[in-house]
Amino acid sequence: MTAPEKPSLEGLEDKWASAWDAAGTYTFDRTKTREQVYAIDTPPPTVSGSLHVGHVFSYTHTDAIARFQRMRGREVFYPMGWDDNGVPTERRVQNFYGVRCDPSLPYDTEFTPPEKPAKQEIPISRQNFVELCDRLVVEDEQKFEELWRTLGLSVDWSMTYTTIGDRARRASQRAFLRMLARGEAYQSEAPTLWDVDFRMAVSQAELEDREVPSAYHAVRFAGTDGDDDIVIETTRPELIPACVALVAHPDDERYSPRFDTFVTTPLFGVRVPVLPHRLADPEKGSGIAMICTFGDTTDVVWWRELRLPTRTVLGRDGRLLPQPPDWGDTAPDAEARYAELAGKTAKQAQARIVELLDESGDLVGAAKPITHPVKFYERGDRPLEIVSSRQWYIRNGGRDPELRTAFLERGRELQWHPAHMRSRYESWVEGLNSDWLISRQRYFGVPFPLWYPLDADGEVDYAHPLAPDEARLPVDPTSDTPEGFTEDQRGKAGGFVADPDVMDTWATSSLTPEIAAGWEDDPDLFARVFPMDLRPQAFEIIRTWLFSTIVRAHFEFDALPWTDAAISGWVLDPDRKKMSKSKGNVVTPMEPIRQFGADAMRYWAASGRPGVDTAVDEGQMKVGRRLAIKILNASKFALGVIGDTDSSDGPAGFGKGSDAITEPLDRSMLASLAALVAHATTSFETYDYARALDATERFFWGFCDDYLELVKGRAYDGSDSARAALATALDTLLRLFAPHMPFVTEEVWSWWRGDGSVHRAPWPVVDELAAFASDDLAVYPAAAAVLGAVRKAKSEAKRSMRTDVTHVVVHATTELRRALEPALDDVRNGGRVVGDVEFEDGAELAVDVTLAAPEEAPEG
RNA sequence: GGGCGAUUGGCUCAGUUGGUUAGAGCGCUGCCUUCACACGGCAGAGGUCAUGGGUUCGAGUCCCGUAUCGCCCACCA
């Protein structure tokens, strides 16, 4: 097969995607041992969303690394996962089918969703819900897979997994049960950050701070036994009924005389103590704070350390409870006043209580507006509250300095790319203040594989959870029955109940290496790929996905889950704003891929440095397209010059190896190519795909502009040296470009290298070019410089590049002249120098060029 | 409050242990339709490398400070 007359990029994506699929080019060979394998823990995209250019960006980086490793001879384990375990999928299934997950319902084998979703959502069992999810996800997966194939990801598509599928649920439940058995997972009844809209506990990793407007209200607490009143400032006056104490710093002389005396709360007249604690900040407000159960996380610390009572007023729905807490002695009308607040949201209650305080004269001065950071669930719309509830936790060092040190140590063991991303991990681990809360009060997800016995009175015995045998996993405790019980004992005294919660999605996705590798399900595969080599991911989920994956592997295998983590930057819209759905500035990738070509899209992505935020830039895509076209045309040209061959050696001279390459210019170019190979290889080895591409591209443009021009005359004339050098260079350059531009390189490869794929060809090594490595590097750039000077002269004279040159004087150092002379004929050829070339001494290169007189334009 | 990163021509960015005259691409200007490429080629103009000090024979690069921007973390009354 030879190059077509008019090579083109159109259709290469479809052509080669199917060809690779048919040939199994990227199929994982599971006969290889762990040492021969390069395993990648790919981020499973959320299937219910849509892919945008941000995905294209980071997945392209990973694919370039995968292709490099494959060409280096590693067998690349590169499976794709689909993340369908989580709120986005739950919502999508709900809306798409008009159903709602209700775990209390039995599994209905006959259930089929209505053609059109009904107005009223149909409640279905968790198993039915998961099945609908599987069904819907298949459609999403196909769209995603099509995009990934069009982009040229070298994934083995036979090895996909989902995060809600059987394997994932089994792995997730198994890992949990083992942690429970080892004491790494535990349950606790404790104050927990709570989202009142999702009605769900939220972990530290899902928090974000938002600056919100608020106001300080100065409120008077009455002294008792003749003491003065004390004025506190609070942003949450609605929690006065939940007040259990006032607190000031132990050294604060304004308040130290009052420690261990009592004041009474305004409106309700509840007696609360004044107490010292080191966390009270004399600089804030009036220097003395009210402690409520619970206004913020500091309240929890005070409440715990000062052993204060609990007076809960906020319910899990974010409204004030119907009844006041246990207050002891109160003002006579305390209950009546509370009744005015009961049932109101925190915000409504605040407005009303401020009015009440104003009426009672307990409000001092006007409210002082401020803005301050408040904790939100990252997907939530209202500030988090703190409620007390029973939850499951996994130890993560948040309460154990020794364990925390172990995880910091793991972070240092891991190779980070770029290296400074480690500091994000460390600041997160160092800032942990609680264990990892993994239970979620939701219905869709991986359920806790646990039941609890009911005692003779029907009370739940949480202290003695019933766990299934591992062989039964995955189980759904709401429909499966614990060993030793029968289904009719569910909910009965002496029987059992299911744990009602599901696990945090991160509790499952923290096991992606184990799930993808077939942990326990496929021990043979697992032994060949785990622990893995690479975790590629975005920096904003270092504290969640990356950290939690390390936690799980540390406990289960006493190992890192991978040796390297490559952290990608953000993709910004063309105006350098972060892309997000809510801003509506998301760029969908299919359109630009069609417009510019997959290789061009990949070029844009690969030009984004590791870990650096990068703007969507059509300009870069155009440049990538131009490069792809240049590769086609230059290759076609080079192959044409080399000439066809009927020998099995391939193109003329190629099979003769380095022996045929004798001309100093050819050898110099190949010496320079050897340096490029070394540079690109080092760059890839350190995960710097961008530097590898940059260097290769730079070389390639010089190769086209200068080398091809210099040697084409000689090559046409039949120089074996030139032809073999061209073939060697082309062969090497195609392989260097292959990880970045898989389509166009494969296309050219197919013109002259038979049936094999460039993507299974060996990555170039300096040894291939060893014969030239010690040759004079200076010849090639010297020749290129003089050729460039000739071109410049023609350009400045506004003459065609075809113009003959009648005389050239080169001013150069002896050294440069020595480098130049062996290539002089090539320079004359390339520059169309028909006259003499003279040399003069000169410190710097200068070239005087005399052009042939222009032909007289024929009189018109 | 602590930390990380960034700051280089109009725009987007390279610049790897300090070493001639700081590089690309886009955009702009001019020219060339040449037997690979007009989805092109060749060439040109354009930079006090944020800022103030310091180290050095020599600093875009190393050290200290400052400013601006972005991000991460933090017990945020």
Side-chain angles (χ1 to χ4, degrees), chain A residues 529-545:
Chain A
V529 302
F530 189 92
M532 297 192 171
D533 293 271
L534 178 65
R535 157 62 70 84
Q537 66 159 76
F539 63 79
E540 81 273 16
I541 50 176
I542 288 174
R543 67 178 187 174
T544 48
W545 194 34

Side-chain angles (χ1 to χ4, degrees), chain A residues 658-848:
Chain A
S658 52
D659 290 351
I661 303 172
T662 52
E663 285 294 318
L665 176 68
D666 303 334
R667 298 182 67 91
S668 180
M669 181 276 291
L670 292 171
S672 158
L673 182 61
L676 170 67
V677 167
H679 182 77
T681 304
T682 309
S683 299
F684 261 123
E685 280 171 344
T686 54
Y687 293 85
D688 198 341
Y689 50 82
R691 189 186 295 278
L693 173 58
D694 183 68
T696 305
E697 183 192 10
R698 204 177 291 275
F699 183 96
F700 178 70
W701 281 106
F703 176 80
C704 293
D705 291 349
D706 302 326
Y707 185 74
L708 286 181
E709 295 300 327
L710 285 166
V711 299
K712 67 181 176 189
R714 181 154 53 86
Y716 272 131
D717 290 343
S719 159
D720 272 351
S721 178
R723 292 179 172 190
L726 278 171
T728 303
L730 183 61
D731 172 75
T732 307
L733 285 167
L734 287 174
R735 286 180 290 150
L736 290 174
F737 274 126
H740 298 109
M741 314 196 92
F743 293 102
V744 74
T745 50
E746 187 77 315
E747 172 70 10
V748 173
W749 198 257
S750 75
W751 294 342
W752 63 309
R753 300 303 301 273
D755 292 333
S757 168
V758 68
H759 302 299
R760 284 285 181 174
W763 179 254
V765 291
V766 174
D767 276 1
E768 296 171 19
L769 303 165
F772 318 102
S774 59
D775 266 71
D776 189 356
L777 277 167
V779 177
Y780 175 37
V786 175
L787 179 64
V790 172
R791 273 199 304 254
K792 181 174 175 174
K794 291 178 183 178
S795 193
E796 281 173 352
K798 304 193 174 182
R799 301 286 299 277
S800 160
M801 288 299 135
R802 221 164 38 160
T803 307
D804 283 345
V805 176
T806 53
H807 191 70
V808 175
V809 182
V810 179
H811 306 262
T813 59
T814 322
E815 215 176 327
L816 187 58
R817 177 174 176 175
R818 191 176 298 132
L820 197 50
E821 273 184 327
L824 208 52
D825 282 346
D826 289 332
V827 172
R828 295 171 65 102
N829 244 322
R832 289 181 175 258
V833 180
V834 296
D836 294 335
V837 177
E838 289 180 59
F839 282 97
E840 301 221 347
D841 286 341
E844 293 189 359
L845 177 67
V847 185
D848 304 330

Side-chain angles (χ1 to χ4, degrees), chain A residues 130-168:
Chain A
V130 168
E131 282 173 10
L132 288 183
C133 167
D134 284 343
R135 196 202 292 191
L136 188 61
V137 156
V138 167
E139 296 172 22
D140 290 329
E141 283 170 7
Q142 281 167 355
K143 278 187 295 186
F144 279 35
E145 187 177 323
E146 188 199 339
L147 175 65
W148 287 149
R149 284 178 185 271
T150 307
L151 188 65
L153 295 193
S154 58
V155 162
D156 181 345
W157 290 104
S158 70
M159 310 205 74
T160 54
Y161 66 90
T162 68
T163 54
I164 198 66
D166 275 7
R167 270 164 67 200

Side-chain angles (χ1 to χ4, degrees), chain A residues 65 178 182 246 294 330 389 407 456 503 557 598-599 635 718 775 842:
Chain A
I65 300 290
R178 292 191 183 181
R182 291 190 298 255
L246 299 190
F294 298 95
T330 60
S389 57
F407 287 127
M503 294 186 218
F557 303 100
D599 284 335
S635 301
D775 266 71

Side-chain angles (χ1 to χ4, degrees), chain A residues 574-621:
Chain A
D575 296 328
R576 301 203 61 73
K577 299 260 167 37
K578 182 178 150 185
M579 284 200 305
S580 71
K581 262 189 203 167
S582 56
K583 286 194 192 127
N585 60 352
V586 170
V587 179
T588 55
M590 226 23 167
E591 172 56 28
I593 290 179
R594 293 223 170 83
Q595 189 182 346
F596 300 106
D599 284 335
M601 192 77 173
R602 292 175 62 108
Y603 175 90
W604 159 74
S607 60
R609 253 62 197 176
V612 175
D613 293 351
T614 303
V616 174
D617 185 354
E618 284 205 354
Q620 279 298 98
M621 296 175 202

